[in-house]
Amino acid sequence: MTALSLRDVRKNFGATEIIRGVTLDIQPGERHCIIGPNGAGKTTLFNLISGRFPITSGEISLNNTRIDQQPPHLINRAGLSRSFQITSIFQRLSVFENLRCALLWSMGYRYSFWSALWRQKALNEKAEFLLEDLNLASRRDIPAGLLSYAEQRALEIGMTIAGGASVILLDEPTAGMSNTETDYAMALIRRVTQGKTLLMVEHDMKVVFDLADTITVLVYGQVIASGPPETVRSSRAVQEAYLGALEE
Amino acid sequence: MTRSGNGARWIWVFAVALALAVPWAFHNFQTGRDSGFVLSMLSQMGMMVILSLSYNMLLGQAGLFSLCHATFFGIGGYATVHFLNAAGAGSLPLPMEVIPLLSGLTGLGLALIFGYMATKQRATAFAMITMGIGELMATAALMFHSFFGGEGGVTTNRMIDHSLFGLTYASGMQVYYLILVWTLICAGSMYFLTQTPLGRMANATRDNYERAQFMGYDPRVVRFLQFSLSGLFAGVGGGLYAITYEIVTFDALAAPLSANALLMAYIGGTTVFGGPILGAVLITLLQSGVSLLSNSWLVYVGVLFISMVMFAPAGLSGLIIAHGPIAAAGRLRRLTVPYLRLVVPFLALVLGFVGLVELMSFLTIGAAQGKKLVLFGSAINIEATQPWLISVVCLLGGGAWLRWEARAFHRVWESLTADLKQRDRV
Amino acid sequence: ADTIKIAYIDPFSGPFASGGDEFLKIFKVLFDRINAKGGVLGKQLEIVPFDSKLQPAEALIALKSVTDQNIPFVMHCTGSNVGAALIDGVAKHNARNPDNRVIYLNCGALATELTNEKCDFWQFRFAGSVEMRAATRIRSLPKEITKVYLLNQDYLFGQSVQADTKKWLAALRPDIQIVGDELMPFGKVQDFSSYVTKIKASGAQSIVTGNYNRDLNLLIKAAVDDGLNIRFDTYLAHLIGGPTAIGATGEGRLTSIMEFSGNVPVDLKVPEAEKFVTDWREHHNTDFSTLNFMTMLDMLTQAITKAGGTDPLKVALALEGMQVKDFVGQDNTMRKDDHQLLMPYYAGVFTKDVKYDSEKTGFGWKTQYSASAADLTLPTTCKMKRPAS
Amino acid sequence: MILDVRDLHAFYGQSHILHGVDLTVNEGEIVSLLGRNGVGRSTLCKAIMGLVPPQGQVMYRGKDLAGLRSDLVARAGIGYVPEDRQVFPTLTVRQNLELGLKRAGKFGRWTFDDVFRLFPNLAARQNNPAGVLSGGEQQMLTMCRTLMGDPDLVLIDEPTEGLAPLLVEQVGVLLAEIASRGVAILLVEQKLTIALKISHRLYVMGHGKIVFEGTPADLAANADVRREWLEV
Amino acid sequence: MEIFVISLLNGLVYGMLLFMLASGLTLIFSMMGVLNFAHASIYMIGAYLAFQVSRVVGFFPALIIAPLLCGAIGAAIEIWGLRKVHHNGHIAELLFTFGLVFIVQRGVQMTWGMLPMPYRVPALLDFPLFQIYGANFPAYRAFMLLISGGMLLSTWLLLKKTRVGLIIQAALTHPNMVSALGHNVPMVFTTVFAGGCLLAGLAGVIGGNYQTTEPGMAEAMGPIVFVVVVFGGLGSLAGCFIASILMGMIQTFAVVIDYSVADLLRPLGLALKADNLLMEVLTVPIARIGALLPFAMMILILLFRPRGLMGTRDT
Ligand SMILES: Nc1ncnc2c1ncn2[C@@H]1O[C@H](COP(=O)(O)OP(=O)(O)OP(=O)(O)O)[C@@H](O)[C@H]1O
Ligand SMILES: Nc1ncnc2c1ncn2[C@@H]1O[C@H](COP(=O)(O)OP(=O)(O)OP(=O)(O)O)[C@@H](O)[C@H]1O
Ligand SMILES: [Mg+2]
Ligand SMILES: [Mg+2]
């Protein structure tokens, strides 16, 4: 049983093929990092998995159920949640409301227009708890759009994991963070994704090698290597295509 | 939070008390007669409050720019006429007080149908679909007589002789209180809706519909439900319209009323729940009040509108809210003098502008009527150069002066808010 | 009070403001004329205008304002939709406030039903109903016409015109064949060439139409451009702005049904009225055609005098059945059964061959046919409820 | 000295990105600006160009350009090659290049022929919409488009980002060619190799400030700086 | 056949008139994303100015002067108004133009009064050009076709062939980049808005005497032009052109069709009789609802193609 599995997934934008046959299996509980040069198609891959774009061909399944023809909200309900490379939060809502929104569906409120939010104790407690967890309690009532960049990223992560999905996709969660912020964010991610399946895109090699159980290298829409960090780091092809320039 | 929350509560209490008391301020205790005009205005305000609040469920809360909101208001009105006629004929055994609920359900019914179509899209495409729907319905209302009564509309008699409280609804006063109660019910329900999961997700899809999708919500369903519910309230508003005027014509669902809903919500401010109420009151005053004074009232509405968009995009309520932090810090007094300094040049500007517009319109339109131009209480000879000169001077001088004072005001404001920020940090 | 106030509700803003403004101008002159003669019961008449914005709801709000100010008379001349609302509003107000009644003086809401099914004791209509106009319209059609095309606006007035035209064609001119009968969207058609094509194909000799303003001007323009050589037998081409917009293209083939034109006193040889016309032309660019307004005010002042005050019920009773001679000496009667003014109508043709032209276009209305009040005494279906006292 | 940036600050809304940057470029010089992702190098370029409102001084040949509209900055003689390429996708390659010209038909140091000689790929595609070009070709196009405007100083932001090694070589050649025509370059780079190879001087940025300044040799010698501010 | 050919011609002329108005709107709408509700108001101003100017210097100079004046008005609106509300989003821009509609409407009434203006086709063009099935084809209509053809061509050239066109197109996707290449983007936007208003003004000059010049003319033309532009699709001049002609044709042909839905059902043996709303809907002949068809079509196309007929991006 795999948590997430991709079978020869392809994506064309017009005539150009961006994702050229990606096959990938992610085991439950695995921490899987995808690395690769800019424009390799990592974000596109996330977009395909999460249903933002339809795939051109191939197969994607979540917990052995096909999800590749489904709209994003159904995929989410099936237990997959993602974050965005470009921060994507509800700008005008307060931090607390952002988190509460992220909790709503999973706690069974659906489209309810008869239950008053302020009376939902369990919901509010959970949101407050998350707020503490994310270290955002002091910013509780500030519109999310006014948070600092790092705080927004933290909120983004918080909203992604709030719904309690079993498979989490994080797109460059630490992009634009300072070293200490990055360390903090990584600790947070480690903590909140305990026992979940994590698929993450990241450029920061320190983070990647620290966190990942498995690394996949994507170059021009193709997987050129996949395996435990040591194997990937020592792979010739990977060094040439991605790590080489850094390592001299 | 609690402090401003309490303040807000008192404002509501005050507003309700005011609404209860106002008609008596215009009551003539000697003759025992009410002011019908004032009651009509107040009643009109009541239904417009419902209309603009329900419109803001779309524009402000869900980010949906609808151009057919009057459709649901109007259909509620038409249906109510038929309900009232049936009730009057004895075939609908319902008391008057409950009938607006039926009107609302009619609005809801139609909103379910049109909402299903329109909410398929969002942004401009949504706006254009609703514009089309509005035009279709307005034209249909003129074309199909059995339900809409053509151009003459359909009439009814609200004295159906069936009331929970034994009221006849012959007098405008009784009708006004009926409207007030329903307005409070609607406003309360709409406020409640903003505090429910659906209301919150409407805000969320407004800010970022894509993210909402990745949280398990289908933004289209959110839009659809929000749209339908706003149709429900608009329908109630239309029902009250029918009860007040006892006639509904196609004007009740035509484009100008849709535009009015938009104007009221925007001018009042879409970001705060109560904003549209301010807008509804102001616009009703302008349309029914100022239009008694000047036939050029449309120009004033236009200019007010443009200046609001340019200088106060958050609307009246936005302007008020901006003072919140300063008031909370107890520094409001420091703004008194700067405000007072704005008043004189502002008045000069307004005087000049109004003067010029009225002189102009009297020169070309009014002069032919042989009416005397009465401006600010005194008759004015439009042939003389003097009034023209004064107006131009007021306009230009006031404008320049106001600009200058506005800059000074801006500096004071900036320093105040900067101060507050400083204090926040400490 | 030292003046007798008469409220006047009509559109003064928005796209239809031209009508209200023009009528107000006319009323101003007519009021001055009465006041110059000493007013009524020693009091001056004063007109108090209210903007209806051509919307029933606004008109009803204005009506509240009127009753608040205890103004006993309300005039209203534009829009049958507003007229219907006012009849209803006034009736209900009077029933609910017997101490503060008003009389609705309808000077131009024309739909026939307003003095038939919808008639009311408190409404007096001082303008010919569509039916009266239709009767005049059909009678004035020349003998040689055998094929007509009906084109009307798709709303209350237009439909009314359509129905009554057909009714009187059948009654008076069975020889005429209706080769086309059509309703067009009110104010929405930008291009009439397709209608013209249809009309041409039908072989009609005349378009009989209740269209006015834009809907008439564009129709005639399109027809003339297409070289359609046909008559335009209209109901309302003489309305303000019509002659200006139509201009030379209407010469000799445009006709209209009107209450008055500058050339009527010339034909009838009434120097006093002719002088009024020449005075008018000196100060105004538009025509004076609403003689019925003058008749209305004459009747109203006589009724007030007879009632000895402005009590609406007494004035209303005085108005019922009142007979006066109008400015050009013709008989006018306020019929008691339905409160419809029985008045003469004139059919005029647009031509250079007149003494007084219209709107300084060089063309004016030459009377071709006139129908007297007696001719236009048509049956009514009105079943009026009359107040007990 | 062609460019002298002094105490430059910049913000995105509430977030303070540049915290007082000082930096100079001499006539005809190639200067590299290094640093990790997100330290604010691109923001510096944008602030110089006036695409982000700058606070501080941007002296260009003795004139302060800070706060000017970006088209005026460009007309003063600074060219800008953004990191995200920003080709105009619906326009053809040739039209893209034409837009680089400040006035129609007014060529300076660079002509269509030059460009097409240097990059035969572009010549072959000159009538294709730029949107269909490969990433590498788009990068070439962006640089050439800026050069058509005949700047005396170009700010080039990560020209080798996401390019295959072969193309990276070609970029090196182009940079040399640019410098040989007397144009000064401020090169923002992540890849040390190319920067060390071609630049005359280097700056390293960290947390919105300049944390190191020196020659390539200085940097090569200073392992601390490399470890702390550059390597992963 | 006869009716068909003539209707075709009529539809073409009307379509071209629509296109004259729509071209300016589509320029503004698709370039700047501004839903300019005041477009028809500028059209009206154009007609009035043309009337005023032509009284002094004659029609043909007015044909040039009036649109230029409208362009100047447009530029002023952009510089002192629109530009300032731009950062508040499209709704603010739209509401701004909404306010303008009121002001222009009353402003025109205050300046020229309420009545139609005697603005007529110049004598030089007031003759039938040729006859078809006995119907005249007036020279002025040919002149209109010529002008609108010219507008199509010049808008197309402007967009495709000149650098202004290139800059506008480029600024749509990457305004900052265009600016960094040394082009003054705000000025380009002013130019576009002014250009759109100029086209509206030109349409006013032509439409003002083809139809009538009166204070209601803006309101009459406003909605239908929006329909054309949205139906055609944002950013597509070709779409706008096709939509104009299509709408012209639809409305023209609808008038000629006297059938209703009930007529279609009758041969199927479904004789309907009742006096209710549904019956009324079914028995309305197409000719009566001609004016509604464009709106219905717009709704339909947006439901299934939110970018319109040939739009390059979502509306
Ligand atoms: N909607 C689209 N239409 C056309 N091309 C696209 C689209 N989205 C992405 N691309 C192209 O697909 C390629 C891969 O993009 P993607 O965003 O997946 O890269 P990435 O690996 O996430 O890069 P980065 O590390 O910069 O985030 C790029 O060349 C991009 O231009
Ligand atoms: N439009 C924006 N709004 C808010 N923050 C931004 C924006 N653009 C960039 N930032 C943030 O500003 C900081 C500096 O960004 P900048 O692009 O200048 O970095 P850089 O040094 O060029 O890095 P890179 O290697 O990613 O190009 C980063 O934290 C980035 O996330
Ligand atoms: Mg990415
Ligand atoms: Mg960068």
Side-chain angles (χ1 to χ4, degrees), chain C residues 21 154 190 198 221 244, chain E residues 114 120 136 211 255 288:
Chain C
D21 267 307
D154 197 358
Q190 309 304 331
K198 250 173 131 174
K221 223 165 197 170
T244 307
Chain E
M114 307 271 191
R120 307 226 191 275
N136 285 341
Q211 304 200 315
V255 168
R288 261 176 83 186

Side-chain angles (χ1 to χ4, degrees), chain C residues 139-146 173 175-176 205:
Chain C
R139 283 181 195 182
S140 67
L141 287 180
K143 285 274 175 307
E144 60 274 17
I145 288 192
T146 55
R173 293 290 300 271
D175 57 313
I176 292 184
Q205 294 160 302

Side-chain angles (χ1 to χ4, degrees), chain C residues 249-319:
Chain C
T249 51
E251 182 180 10
R253 52 180 165 171
L254 174 68
T255 67
S256 190
I257 301 299
M258 50 203 133
E259 293 83 4
F260 184 75
S261 82
N263 299 305
V264 169
V266 182
D267 299 340
L268 295 176
K269 308 208 170 51
V270 187
E272 191 199 353
E274 193 174 339
K275 173 156 185 316
F276 181 85
V277 169
T278 49
D279 283 353
W280 176 274
R281 291 169 60 86
E282 238 169 69
H283 300 289
H284 298 92
N285 288 324
T286 51
D287 306 336
F288 174 79
S289 70
T290 48
L291 184 69
N292 54 323
F293 290 7
M294 201 187 271
T295 313
M296 170 171 79
L297 291 178
D298 284 348
M299 282 197 165
L300 182 66
T301 49
Q302 283 188 32
I304 293 174
T305 315
K306 194 170 153 200
T310 59
D311 177 58
L313 182 59
K314 286 188 191 148
V315 173
L317 292 173
L319 275 173

Side-chain angles (χ1 to χ4, degrees), chain D residues 113-135:
Chain D
D113 290 343
D114 287 336
V115 170
F116 293 144
R117 185 175 43 75
L118 273 169
F119 299 106
N121 294 15
L122 290 185
R125 301 253 188 161
Q126 56 174 303
N127 291 319
N128 286 15
V132 307
L133 295 188
S134 78

Side-chain angles (χ1 to χ4, degrees), chain A residues 13 16 18 36-45 53 85 171-172 203:
Chain A
F13 284 115
T16 43
I18 303 297
N38 293 95
K42 304 178 297 285
T43 302
T44 306
L45 198 60
F53 299 150
Q85 181 172 5
D171 196 353
E172 303 200 25
H203 278 301

Side-chain angles (χ1 to χ4, degrees), chain D residues 151-218:
Chain D
D152 292 333
L153 165 68
V154 270
L155 318 176
I156 307 183
D157 198 353
E158 310 226 4
T160 59
E161 197 179 60
L163 294 193
L166 209 68
L167 274 171
V168 174
E169 292 283 300
Q170 228 178 337
V171 170
V173 174
L174 175 63
L175 291 176
E177 167 100 22
I178 295 171
S180 77
R181 300 199 183 187
V183 179
I185 301 176
L186 178 63
L187 176 68
V188 174
E189 253 307 337
Q190 222 176 352
K191 296 202 175 80
L192 278 176
T193 357
I194 182 166
L196 290 173
K197 209 163 13 178
I198 63 166
S199 40
H200 301 138
R201 276 190 307 125
L202 293 162
Y203 288 94
V204 176
M205 236 177 131
H207 296 333
K209 283 200 191 86
I210 299 293
V211 294
F212 172 86
E213 176 188 352
T215 61
D218 293 339

Side-chain angles (χ1 to χ4, degrees), chain C residues 324-340:
Chain C
V324 299
K325 280 213 186 307
D326 66 19
F327 202 36
V328 286
Q330 303 295 307
D331 286 323
N332 282 246
T333 309
M334 175 51 70
R335 179 158 63 183
K336 192 173 170 185
D337 308 340
D338 59 350
H339 293 187
Q340 169 65 50

